[in-house]
Amino acid sequence: LSGPFTDVVTTNLKLRNPSDRRVCFKVKTTAPRRYCVRPNSGIIDPGSSVIVSVMLQPFDYDPNEKSKHKFMVQTTYAPPNISDMEAVWKEAKPDELMDSKLRCVFEMPNENDKLNDIDASKPAPVLNTSKQDGPMPKPHSVSLNDTETRKLVEECKRLQAEIMKLTDENRHLRDEGLRLRKVAHSDKSGSPTALALRDNGSNSLPSLLVVIAAIFIGFFLGKFIL
């Protein structure tokens, strides 16, 4: 018998007569107040079978308590021209009676079984079968685009940091060039060393601008062409 036992639990017994004579049967239990058996007695024709429903009434289940409930199916050959079933059992001799004993086992469903029952009870999702203008986007492709976008943003941040660094260096070199020009103007002697320093400071600015432009052009060409 499978729980939960908060409602009536029903299990079935199948009784089959393999003999060539009619057989009378009776179902007994050690806990008659806890069970309802239908039918609890009757006759089975040769080669036939009958289903007996055993209904357990609701009760407070304790998994630590072992079940002591038992059933016994008693049978005997039916006499000819039977009219009173109770008289058959009263008049039957002990050596003419056959019996089979059954012990009740209580089981609670597992958590996995509960989850399966819940999933099975849920309605199936309704699919949208309407036509669309184009193919549905693949989730995998979306995730790849997101990854590329994140990489692109990180690369832009890195380049911005490089640009700021180069800008600071450019400003420093420009200040250094202005200082050298002042030194060159103040140098009345007009020495070759002063002239060389002035030329170096003035030529450094275009070189830095060319490097920065090359970095930007190479980055964006690589991203959009590849």
Side-chain angles (χ1 to χ4, degrees):
L1 298 167
S2 298
F5 302 100
T6 56
D7 200 353
V8 176
V9 178
T10 303
T11 187
N12 294 325
L13 295 177
K14 184 177 181 180
L15 305 181
R16 183 174 178 274
N17 178 12
S19 68
D20 55 356
R21 297 175 56 184
R22 301 176 73 195
V23 171
C24 298
F25 75 91
K26 178 188 290 187
V27 181
K28 296 182 178 181
T29 179
T30 57
R33 295 183 179 179
R34 301 285 293 275
Y35 296 90
C36 180
V37 182
R38 293 290 183 272
N40 59 355
S41 62
I43 300 175
I44 308 176
D45 293 329
S48 300
S49 59
V50 65
I51 300 297
V52 177
S53 297
V54 178
M55 291 165 280
L56 173 63
Q57 304 304 309
F59 73 103
D60 294 330
Y61 173 70
D62 184 3
N64 297 323
E65 182 180 356
K66 293 184 179 180
S67 173
K68 298 180 181 180
H69 300 173
K70 295 180 181 179
F71 279 82
M72 182 176 67
V73 180
Q74 209 169 33
T75 57
T76 184
Y77 287 116
N81 300 324
I82 182 174
S83 59
D84 187 1
M85 184 68 69
E86 292 296 330
V88 172
W89 296 108
K90 290 179 181 180
E91 297 174 0
K93 298 178 181 179
D95 56 352
E96 296 176 348
L97 297 177
M98 297 168 285
D99 59 71
S100 297
K101 295 180 181 180
L102 303 173
R103 184 174 63 87
C104 293
V105 177
F106 299 148
E107 293 181 350
M108 290 294 291
N110 296 327
E111 292 297 329
N112 293 332
D113 296 338
K114 292 181 181 178
L115 293 176
N116 292 334
D117 293 340
I118 293 174
D119 293 339
S121 63
K122 290 182 179 179
V126 179
L127 299 178
N128 187 5
T129 57
S130 60
K131 294 183 180 180
Q132 299 183 4
D133 296 335
M136 292 293 291
K138 296 181 179 180
H140 186 62
S141 299
V142 174
S143 63
L144 288 178
N145 290 336
D146 292 341
T147 303
E148 291 294 333
T149 303
R150 286 196 298 270
K151 290 182 179 180
L152 184 61
V153 171
E154 293 176 358
E155 187 69 17
C156 287
K157 290 181 180 179
R158 188 184 65 82
L159 287 176
Q160 288 177 356
E162 291 290 336
I163 291 172
M164 293 179 65
K165 181 179 178 181
L166 291 174
T167 302
D168 293 338
E169 293 179 356
N170 188 21
R171 186 182 299 110
H172 177 71
L173 290 174
R174 183 178 58 187
D175 295 340
E176 186 68 18
L178 292 175
R179 187 182 66 81
L180 290 175
R181 287 194 187 96
K182 292 180 180 179
V183 172
H185 285 297
S186 62
D187 190 1
K188 297 180 180 181
S189 63
S191 62
T193 304
L195 293 175
L197 291 174
R198 183 178 62 186
D199 294 337
N200 187 19
S202 61
N203 293 331
S204 62
L205 292 176
S207 299
L208 286 174
L209 295 177
V210 170
V211 170
I212 295 173
I215 290 174
F216 270 107
I217 293 172
F219 171 73
F220 285 103
L221 285 178
K223 286 294 179 181
F224 286 101
I225 294 177
L226 298 179

mmCIF file of all heavy atoms in Angstrom, residues 7 63 77 81 93 100 119 139 150 159 175 179 189 198-199 210:
data_model
loop_
_atom_site.group_PDB
_atom_site.id
_atom_site.type_symbol
_atom_site.label_atom_id
_atom_site.label_comp_id
_atom_site.label_asym_id
_atom_site.label_seq_id
_atom_site.Cartn_x
_atom_site.Cartn_y
_atom_site.Cartn_z
ATOM 1 N N ASP A 7 -5.831 9.948 2.640
ATOM 2 C CA ASP A 7 -7.078 9.620 1.969
ATOM 3 C C ASP A 7 -7.146 8.101 1.815
ATOM 4 O O ASP A 7 -6.213 7.387 2.172
ATOM 5 C CB ASP A 7 -7.136 10.301 0.604
ATOM 6 C CG ASP A 7 -8.568 10.413 0.085
ATOM 7 O OD1 ASP A 7 -9.470 9.846 0.738
ATOM 8 O OD2 ASP A 7 -8.777 11.051 -0.964
ATOM 9 N N PRO A 63 6.339 6.193 10.063
ATOM 10 C CA PRO A 63 7.286 5.320 9.357
ATOM 11 C C PRO A 63 8.091 4.415 10.278
ATOM 12 O O PRO A 63 8.624 3.398 9.835
ATOM 13 C CB PRO A 63 8.199 6.314 8.623
ATOM 14 C CG PRO A 63 8.053 7.598 9.361
ATOM 15 C CD PRO A 63 6.658 7.618 9.895
ATOM 16 N N TYR A 77 -13.462 -26.019 -2.226
ATOM 17 C CA TYR A 77 -14.249 -26.380 -3.402
ATOM 18 C C TYR A 77 -15.740 -26.189 -3.103
ATOM 19 O O TYR A 77 -16.224 -26.539 -2.023
ATOM 20 C CB TYR A 77 -13.988 -27.821 -3.804
ATOM 21 C CG TYR A 77 -12.622 -28.027 -4.437
ATOM 22 C CD1 TYR A 77 -11.657 -28.830 -3.833
ATOM 23 C CD2 TYR A 77 -12.306 -27.425 -5.644
ATOM 24 C CE1 TYR A 77 -10.419 -29.024 -4.405
ATOM 25 C CE2 TYR A 77 -11.066 -27.606 -6.227
ATOM 26 C CZ TYR A 77 -10.122 -28.397 -5.607
ATOM 27 O OH TYR A 77 -8.896 -28.587 -6.184
ATOM 28 N N ASN A 81 -25.004 -27.367 -6.267
ATOM 29 C CA ASN A 81 -26.267 -26.750 -5.865
ATOM 30 C C ASN A 81 -26.103 -25.922 -4.585
ATOM 31 O O ASN A 81 -26.831 -26.084 -3.615
ATOM 32 C CB ASN A 81 -27.351 -27.829 -5.648
ATOM 33 C CG ASN A 81 -27.606 -28.644 -6.908
ATOM 34 O OD1 ASN A 81 -27.554 -28.100 -8.020
ATOM 35 N ND2 ASN A 81 -27.869 -29.942 -6.738
ATOM 36 N N LYS A 93 -14.860 -28.956 6.349
ATOM 37 C CA LYS A 93 -13.915 -29.612 7.260
ATOM 38 C C LYS A 93 -12.549 -28.935 7.158
ATOM 39 O O LYS A 93 -12.194 -28.385 6.101
ATOM 40 C CB LYS A 93 -13.806 -31.081 6.912
ATOM 41 C CG LYS A 93 -15.130 -31.832 7.064
ATOM 42 C CD LYS A 93 -14.952 -33.278 6.657
ATOM 43 C CE LYS A 93 -16.284 -34.033 6.785
ATOM 44 N NZ LYS A 93 -16.172 -35.464 6.380
ATOM 45 N N SER A 100 -4.106 -18.747 2.013
ATOM 46 C CA SER A 100 -2.880 -18.024 1.655
ATOM 47 C C SER A 100 -2.833 -16.768 2.508
ATOM 48 O O SER A 100 -3.816 -16.015 2.583
ATOM 49 C CB SER A 100 -2.873 -17.632 0.172
ATOM 50 O OG SER A 100 -2.885 -18.788 -0.655
ATOM 51 N N ASP A 119 5.688 17.197 -12.305
ATOM 52 C CA ASP A 119 6.016 17.548 -13.679
ATOM 53 C C ASP A 119 4.994 16.987 -14.654
ATOM 54 O O ASP A 119 4.654 17.623 -15.649
ATOM 55 C CB ASP A 119 7.415 17.010 -14.039
ATOM 56 C CG ASP A 119 8.496 17.723 -13.238
ATOM 57 O OD1 ASP A 119 8.212 18.837 -12.756
ATOM 58 O OD2 ASP A 119 9.590 17.170 -13.090
ATOM 59 N N PRO A 139 20.487 30.873 -29.709
ATOM 60 C CA PRO A 139 21.019 31.369 -28.430
ATOM 61 C C PRO A 139 22.530 31.322 -28.380
ATOM 62 O O PRO A 139 23.169 32.172 -27.796
ATOM 63 C CB PRO A 139 20.380 30.426 -27.393
ATOM 64 C CG PRO A 139 19.169 29.879 -28.067
ATOM 65 C CD PRO A 139 19.502 29.812 -29.522
ATOM 66 N N ARG A 150 32.076 42.165 -25.105
ATOM 67 C CA ARG A 150 32.837 42.392 -23.873
ATOM 68 C C ARG A 150 34.330 42.536 -24.168
ATOM 69 O O ARG A 150 35.012 43.402 -23.602
ATOM 70 C CB ARG A 150 32.590 41.251 -22.894
ATOM 71 C CG ARG A 150 31.215 41.287 -22.239
ATOM 72 C CD ARG A 150 31.163 40.391 -21.028
ATOM 73 N NE ARG A 150 31.396 38.997 -21.378
ATOM 74 C CZ ARG A 150 30.443 38.155 -21.703
ATOM 75 N NH1 ARG A 150 29.173 38.563 -21.705
ATOM 76 N NH2 ARG A 150 30.706 36.896 -22.013
ATOM 77 N N LEU A 159 43.048 50.602 -24.835
ATOM 78 C CA LEU A 159 43.589 51.585 -25.770
ATOM 79 C C LEU A 159 43.432 53.005 -25.242
ATOM 80 O O LEU A 159 44.299 53.861 -25.457
ATOM 81 C CB LEU A 159 42.883 51.441 -27.124
ATOM 82 C CG LEU A 159 43.278 50.202 -27.945
ATOM 83 C CD1 LEU A 159 42.462 50.124 -29.202
ATOM 84 C CD2 LEU A 159 44.762 50.216 -28.277
ATOM 85 N N ASP A 175 56.490 70.164 -23.391
ATOM 86 C CA ASP A 175 57.043 71.100 -22.407
ATOM 87 C C ASP A 175 58.561 71.119 -22.469
ATOM 88 O O ASP A 175 59.200 72.182 -22.341
ATOM 89 C CB ASP A 175 56.575 70.708 -21.005
ATOM 90 C CG ASP A 175 55.067 70.858 -20.847
ATOM 91 O OD1 ASP A 175 54.456 71.598 -21.639
ATOM 92 O OD2 ASP A 175 54.501 70.203 -19.931
ATOM 93 N N ARG A 179 60.988 74.233 -23.374
ATOM 94 C CA ARG A 179 62.121 74.611 -22.515
ATOM 95 C C ARG A 179 63.411 74.692 -23.312
ATOM 96 O O ARG A 179 64.225 75.616 -23.144
ATOM 97 C CB ARG A 179 62.258 73.617 -21.377
ATOM 98 C CG ARG A 179 63.291 74.010 -20.324
ATOM 99 C CD ARG A 179 63.382 72.932 -19.268
ATOM 100 N NE ARG A 179 63.923 71.698 -19.831
ATOM 101 C CZ ARG A 179 65.234 71.496 -20.024
ATOM 102 N NH1 ARG A 179 66.129 72.433 -19.710
ATOM 103 N NH2 ARG A 179 65.649 70.354 -20.539
ATOM 104 N N SER A 189 75.508 82.030 -28.068
ATOM 105 C CA SER A 189 76.622 81.464 -28.816
ATOM 106 C C SER A 189 76.166 80.703 -30.041
ATOM 107 O O SER A 189 76.906 80.530 -30.999
ATOM 108 C CB SER A 189 77.465 80.564 -27.913
ATOM 109 O OG SER A 189 76.653 79.480 -27.477
ATOM 110 N N ARG A 198 66.946 71.535 -30.089
ATOM 111 C CA ARG A 198 65.744 72.229 -30.531
ATOM 112 C C ARG A 198 65.056 71.475 -31.655
ATOM 113 O O ARG A 198 63.838 71.327 -31.677
ATOM 114 C CB ARG A 198 66.112 73.651 -30.962
ATOM 115 C CG ARG A 198 64.896 74.465 -31.381
ATOM 116 C CD ARG A 198 65.319 75.875 -31.736
ATOM 117 N NE ARG A 198 66.250 75.828 -32.875
ATOM 118 C CZ ARG A 198 66.894 76.906 -33.360
ATOM 119 N NH1 ARG A 198 66.744 78.085 -32.804
ATOM 120 N NH2 ARG A 198 67.711 76.769 -34.388
ATOM 121 N N ASP A 199 65.868 70.974 -32.587
ATOM 122 C CA ASP A 199 65.289 70.210 -33.696
ATOM 123 C C ASP A 199 64.667 68.910 -33.219
ATOM 124 O O ASP A 199 63.603 68.479 -33.707
ATOM 125 C CB ASP A 199 66.373 69.920 -34.746
ATOM 126 C CG ASP A 199 66.853 71.195 -35.403
ATOM 127 O OD1 ASP A 199 66.087 72.187 -35.375
ATOM 128 O OD2 ASP A 199 67.991 71.186 -35.922
ATOM 129 N N VAL A 210 51.678 60.286 -35.269
ATOM 130 C CA VAL A 210 51.634 59.207 -36.275
ATOM 131 C C VAL A 210 51.479 57.850 -35.602
ATOM 132 O O VAL A 210 50.718 56.983 -36.050
ATOM 133 C CB VAL A 210 52.900 59.253 -37.155
ATOM 134 C CG1 VAL A 210 52.981 58.005 -38.037
ATOM 135 C CG2 VAL A 210 52.895 60.493 -38.015
#
